Amino acid sequence: MIKSPNLPGYLDYRPDGRYLRVWCAWCVEWHCCRAGDLRPAHITHTVGQCYAPDSPYRAGYGITVSLAPFDAVVRSVREATAADRKAIVAGRIDPAIAALRAQRPREELML
Ligand SMILES: [Zn+2]
């Protein structure tokens, strides 16, 4: 049995409710699901929402809710463009896509 990865999730407070955002380094985008009653330090699990055919997260993954809110990390990574997504779906992982995939969210000072 393969142990599923555990990724940090960030609470995103929106007018229509709270969401949990998880950075997927394989799809190079923020996956999103309803946060329900989740609070920082809670651990949850989700099914994969990945479009990247080579993503190991497609089988699902664990999420640990971070103390940092989504607003504090969202600008620390750059999501794939439509063209990048086409390349990822086609399995064309060139150095530019590899660099996007190497990004990891980090907490930034909110000024
Ligand atoms: Zn993904």
PDB file of all heavy atoms in Angstrom, residues 71-91:
ATOM      1  N   ASP A  71      -4.760  33.891   1.779  1.00  0.00           N
ATOM      2  CA  ASP A  71      -4.294  35.220   1.358  1.00  0.00           C
ATOM      3  C   ASP A  71      -2.798  35.417   1.612  1.00  0.00           C
ATOM      4  O   ASP A  71      -2.152  36.203   0.938  1.00  0.00           O
ATOM      5  CB  ASP A  71      -5.056  36.323   2.105  1.00  0.00           C
ATOM      6  CG  ASP A  71      -6.454  36.525   1.552  1.00  0.00           C
ATOM      7  OD1 ASP A  71      -6.775  35.947   0.491  1.00  0.00           O
ATOM      8  OD2 ASP A  71      -7.232  37.250   2.186  1.00  0.00           O
ATOM      9  N   ALA A  72      -2.248  34.708   2.603  1.00  0.00           N
ATOM     10  CA  ALA A  72      -0.840  34.893   2.961  1.00  0.00           C
ATOM     11  C   ALA A  72       0.109  34.108   2.058  1.00  0.00           C
ATOM     12  O   ALA A  72       1.308  34.341   2.085  1.00  0.00           O
ATOM     13  CB  ALA A  72      -0.610  34.481   4.416  1.00  0.00           C
ATOM     14  N   VAL A  73      -0.426  33.181   1.277  1.00  0.00           N
ATOM     15  CA  VAL A  73       0.451  32.340   0.451  1.00  0.00           C
ATOM     16  C   VAL A  73       0.137  32.397  -1.040  1.00  0.00           C
ATOM     17  O   VAL A  73       0.954  31.987  -1.862  1.00  0.00           O
ATOM     18  CB  VAL A  73       0.403  30.855   0.904  1.00  0.00           C
ATOM     19  CG1 VAL A  73       0.932  30.713   2.328  1.00  0.00           C
ATOM     20  CG2 VAL A  73      -1.001  30.295   0.777  1.00  0.00           C
ATOM     21  N   VAL A  74      -1.047  32.895  -1.391  1.00  0.00           N
ATOM     22  CA  VAL A  74      -1.512  32.777  -2.778  1.00  0.00           C
ATOM     23  C   VAL A  74      -0.552  33.395  -3.779  1.00  0.00           C
ATOM     24  O   VAL A  74      -0.362  32.862  -4.879  1.00  0.00           O
ATOM     25  CB  VAL A  74      -2.950  33.351  -2.937  1.00  0.00           C
ATOM     26  CG1 VAL A  74      -2.998  34.826  -2.594  1.00  0.00           C
ATOM     27  CG2 VAL A  74      -3.473  33.099  -4.352  1.00  0.00           C
ATOM     28  N   ARG A  75       0.094  34.489  -3.418  1.00  0.00           N
ATOM     29  CA  ARG A  75       0.976  35.164  -4.373  1.00  0.00           C
ATOM     30  C   ARG A  75       2.402  34.593  -4.386  1.00  0.00           C
ATOM     31  O   ARG A  75       3.238  35.069  -5.148  1.00  0.00           O
ATOM     32  CB  ARG A  75       1.007  36.665  -4.088  1.00  0.00           C
ATOM     33  CG  ARG A  75      -0.273  37.382  -4.521  1.00  0.00           C
ATOM     34  CD  ARG A  75      -0.297  38.837  -4.085  1.00  0.00           C
ATOM     35  NE  ARG A  75      -0.278  38.970  -2.632  1.00  0.00           N
ATOM     36  CZ  ARG A  75      -1.374  38.887  -1.857  1.00  0.00           C
ATOM     37  NH1 ARG A  75      -2.549  38.689  -2.408  1.00  0.00           N
ATOM     38  NH2 ARG A  75      -1.285  38.998  -0.561  1.00  0.00           N
ATOM     39  N   SER A  76       2.667  33.585  -3.570  1.00  0.00           N
ATOM     40  CA  SER A  76       4.029  33.038  -3.506  1.00  0.00           C
ATOM     41  C   SER A  76       4.310  32.019  -4.611  1.00  0.00           C
ATOM     42  O   SER A  76       5.451  31.596  -4.786  1.00  0.00           O
ATOM     43  CB  SER A  76       4.291  32.397  -2.137  1.00  0.00           C
ATOM     44  OG  SER A  76       3.503  31.228  -1.959  1.00  0.00           O
ATOM     45  N   VAL A  77       3.274  31.632  -5.340  1.00  0.00           N
ATOM     46  CA  VAL A  77       3.450  30.696  -6.451  1.00  0.00           C
ATOM     47  C   VAL A  77       2.669  31.205  -7.655  1.00  0.00           C
ATOM     48  O   VAL A  77       1.726  31.971  -7.517  1.00  0.00           O
ATOM     49  CB  VAL A  77       2.956  29.264  -6.090  1.00  0.00           C
ATOM     50  CG1 VAL A  77       3.900  28.585  -5.117  1.00  0.00           C
ATOM     51  CG2 VAL A  77       1.540  29.306  -5.533  1.00  0.00           C
ATOM     52  N   ARG A  78       3.093  30.782  -8.836  1.00  0.00           N
ATOM     53  CA  ARG A  78       2.418  31.195 -10.071  1.00  0.00           C
ATOM     54  C   ARG A  78       1.742  29.975 -10.694  1.00  0.00           C
ATOM     55  O   ARG A  78       2.389  28.953 -10.917  1.00  0.00           O
ATOM     56  CB  ARG A  78       3.418  31.802 -11.057  1.00  0.00           C
ATOM     57  CG  ARG A  78       2.735  32.399 -12.287  1.00  0.00           C
ATOM     58  CD  ARG A  78       3.728  33.167 -13.135  1.00  0.00           C
ATOM     59  NE  ARG A  78       4.687  32.325 -13.842  1.00  0.00           N
ATOM     60  CZ  ARG A  78       4.399  31.637 -14.956  1.00  0.00           C
ATOM     61  NH1 ARG A  78       3.193  31.656 -15.461  1.00  0.00           N
ATOM     62  NH2 ARG A  78       5.334  30.914 -15.545  1.00  0.00           N
ATOM     63  N   GLU A  79       0.452  30.099 -10.959  1.00  0.00           N
ATOM     64  CA  GLU A  79      -0.292  28.987 -11.543  1.00  0.00           C
ATOM     65  C   GLU A  79       0.037  28.826 -13.025  1.00  0.00           C
ATOM     66  O   GLU A  79       0.448  29.764 -13.707  1.00  0.00           O
ATOM     67  CB  GLU A  79      -1.802  29.214 -11.386  1.00  0.00           C
ATOM     68  CG  GLU A  79      -2.287  29.063  -9.962  1.00  0.00           C
ATOM     69  CD  GLU A  79      -3.813  29.055  -9.882  1.00  0.00           C
ATOM     70  OE1 GLU A  79      -4.421  30.092 -10.164  1.00  0.00           O
ATOM     71  OE2 GLU A  79      -4.365  28.002  -9.537  1.00  0.00           O
ATOM     72  N   ALA A  80      -0.217  27.629 -13.518  1.00  0.00           N
ATOM     73  CA  ALA A  80      -0.034  27.336 -14.939  1.00  0.00           C
ATOM     74  C   ALA A  80      -0.987  28.173 -15.778  1.00  0.00           C
ATOM     75  O   ALA A  80      -2.132  28.412 -15.385  1.00  0.00           O
ATOM     76  CB  ALA A  80      -0.299  25.851 -15.189  1.00  0.00           C
ATOM     77  N   THR A  81      -0.519  28.591 -16.940  1.00  0.00           N
ATOM     78  CA  THR A  81      -1.389  29.253 -17.914  1.00  0.00           C
ATOM     79  C   THR A  81      -2.155  28.176 -18.688  1.00  0.00           C
ATOM     80  O   THR A  81      -1.873  26.981 -18.553  1.00  0.00           O
ATOM     81  CB  THR A  81      -0.560  30.075 -18.916  1.00  0.00           C
ATOM     82  OG1 THR A  81       0.278  29.162 -19.643  1.00  0.00           O
ATOM     83  CG2 THR A  81       0.306  31.124 -18.212  1.00  0.00           C
ATOM     84  N   ALA A  82      -3.075  28.597 -19.530  1.00  0.00           N
ATOM     85  CA  ALA A  82      -3.811  27.637 -20.371  1.00  0.00           C
ATOM     86  C   ALA A  82      -2.837  26.845 -21.238  1.00  0.00           C
ATOM     87  O   ALA A  82      -2.987  25.634 -21.409  1.00  0.00           O
ATOM     88  CB  ALA A  82      -4.841  28.365 -21.219  1.00  0.00           C
ATOM     89  N   ALA A  83      -1.818  27.526 -21.770  1.00  0.00           N
ATOM     90  CA  ALA A  83      -0.826  26.835 -22.610  1.00  0.00           C
ATOM     91  C   ALA A  83      -0.007  25.843 -21.777  1.00  0.00           C
ATOM     92  O   ALA A  83       0.297  24.737 -22.238  1.00  0.00           O
ATOM     93  CB  ALA A  83       0.090  27.860 -23.269  1.00  0.00           C
ATOM     94  N   ASP A  84       0.345  26.256 -20.551  1.00  0.00           N
ATOM     95  CA  ASP A  84       1.078  25.345 -19.664  1.00  0.00           C
ATOM     96  C   ASP A  84       0.241  24.095 -19.395  1.00  0.00           C
ATOM     97  O   ASP A  84       0.762  22.968 -19.376  1.00  0.00           O
ATOM     98  CB  ASP A  84       1.393  26.017 -18.322  1.00  0.00           C
ATOM     99  CG  ASP A  84       2.339  27.201 -18.451  1.00  0.00           C
ATOM    100  OD1 ASP A  84       3.154  27.227 -19.387  1.00  0.00           O
ATOM    101  OD2 ASP A  84       2.246  28.107 -17.592  1.00  0.00           O
ATOM    102  N   ARG A  85      -1.055  24.289 -19.155  1.00  0.00           N
ATOM    103  CA  ARG A  85      -1.941  23.146 -18.852  1.00  0.00           C
ATOM    104  C   ARG A  85      -1.998  22.182 -20.036  1.00  0.00           C
ATOM    105  O   ARG A  85      -1.989  20.975 -19.849  1.00  0.00           O
ATOM    106  CB  ARG A  85      -3.346  23.641 -18.514  1.00  0.00           C
ATOM    107  CG  ARG A  85      -3.420  24.295 -17.157  1.00  0.00           C
ATOM    108  CD  ARG A  85      -4.872  24.508 -16.713  1.00  0.00           C
ATOM    109  NE  ARG A  85      -4.891  25.244 -15.468  1.00  0.00           N
ATOM    110  CZ  ARG A  85      -5.045  26.568 -15.389  1.00  0.00           C
ATOM    111  NH1 ARG A  85      -5.229  27.273 -16.477  1.00  0.00           N
ATOM    112  NH2 ARG A  85      -5.013  27.172 -14.222  1.00  0.00           N
ATOM    113  N   LYS A  86      -2.062  22.738 -21.236  1.00  0.00           N
ATOM    114  CA  LYS A  86      -2.075  21.872 -22.425  1.00  0.00           C
ATOM    115  C   LYS A  86      -0.814  21.031 -22.479  1.00  0.00           C
ATOM    116  O   LYS A  86      -0.865  19.835 -22.788  1.00  0.00           O
ATOM    117  CB  LYS A  86      -2.167  22.717 -23.709  1.00  0.00           C
ATOM    118  CG  LYS A  86      -3.562  23.141 -24.068  1.00  0.00           C
ATOM    119  CD  LYS A  86      -3.554  23.820 -25.427  1.00  0.00           C
ATOM    120  CE  LYS A  86      -4.937  24.341 -25.774  1.00  0.00           C
ATOM    121  NZ  LYS A  86      -4.937  25.154 -26.990  1.00  0.00           N
ATOM    122  N   ALA A  87       0.339  21.652 -22.180  1.00  0.00           N
ATOM    123  CA  ALA A  87       1.611  20.929 -22.201  1.00  0.00           C
ATOM    124  C   ALA A  87       1.632  19.839 -21.127  1.00  0.00           C
ATOM    125  O   ALA A  87       2.077  18.718 -21.373  1.00  0.00           O
ATOM    126  CB  ALA A  87       2.772  21.909 -22.000  1.00  0.00           C
ATOM    127  N   ILE A  88       1.120  20.161 -19.941  1.00  0.00           N
ATOM    128  CA  ILE A  88       1.103  19.186 -18.848  1.00  0.00           C
ATOM    129  C   ILE A  88       0.215  18.003 -19.215  1.00  0.00           C
ATOM    130  O   ILE A  88       0.602  16.841 -19.018  1.00  0.00           O
ATOM    131  CB  ILE A  88       0.639  19.860 -17.530  1.00  0.00           C
ATOM    132  CG1 ILE A  88       1.718  20.831 -17.037  1.00  0.00           C
ATOM    133  CG2 ILE A  88       0.317  18.814 -16.469  1.00  0.00           C
ATOM    134  CD1 ILE A  88       1.263  21.745 -15.894  1.00  0.00           C
ATOM    135  N   VAL A  89      -0.964  18.281 -19.764  1.00  0.00           N
ATOM    136  CA  VAL A  89      -1.881  17.201 -20.157  1.00  0.00           C
ATOM    137  C   VAL A  89      -1.232  16.308 -21.214  1.00  0.00           C
ATOM    138  O   VAL A  89      -1.398  15.089 -21.207  1.00  0.00           O
ATOM    139  CB  VAL A  89      -3.217  17.792 -20.680  1.00  0.00           C
ATOM    140  CG1 VAL A  89      -4.041  16.731 -21.393  1.00  0.00           C
ATOM    141  CG2 VAL A  89      -4.006  18.384 -19.527  1.00  0.00           C
ATOM    142  N   ALA A  90      -0.456  16.935 -22.099  1.00  0.00           N
ATOM    143  CA  ALA A  90       0.195  16.177 -23.175  1.00  0.00           C
ATOM    144  C   ALA A  90       1.486  15.500 -22.715  1.00  0.00           C
ATOM    145  O   ALA A  90       2.120  14.784 -23.490  1.00  0.00           O
ATOM    146  CB  ALA A  90       0.486  17.107 -24.350  1.00  0.00           C
ATOM    147  N   GLY A  91       1.888  15.746 -21.468  1.00  0.00           N
ATOM    148  CA  GLY A  91       3.113  15.130 -20.951  1.00  0.00           C
ATOM    149  C   GLY A  91       4.380  15.825 -21.415  1.00  0.00           C
ATOM    150  O   GLY A  91       5.468  15.267 -21.308  1.00  0.00           O
TER     151      GLY A  91
END
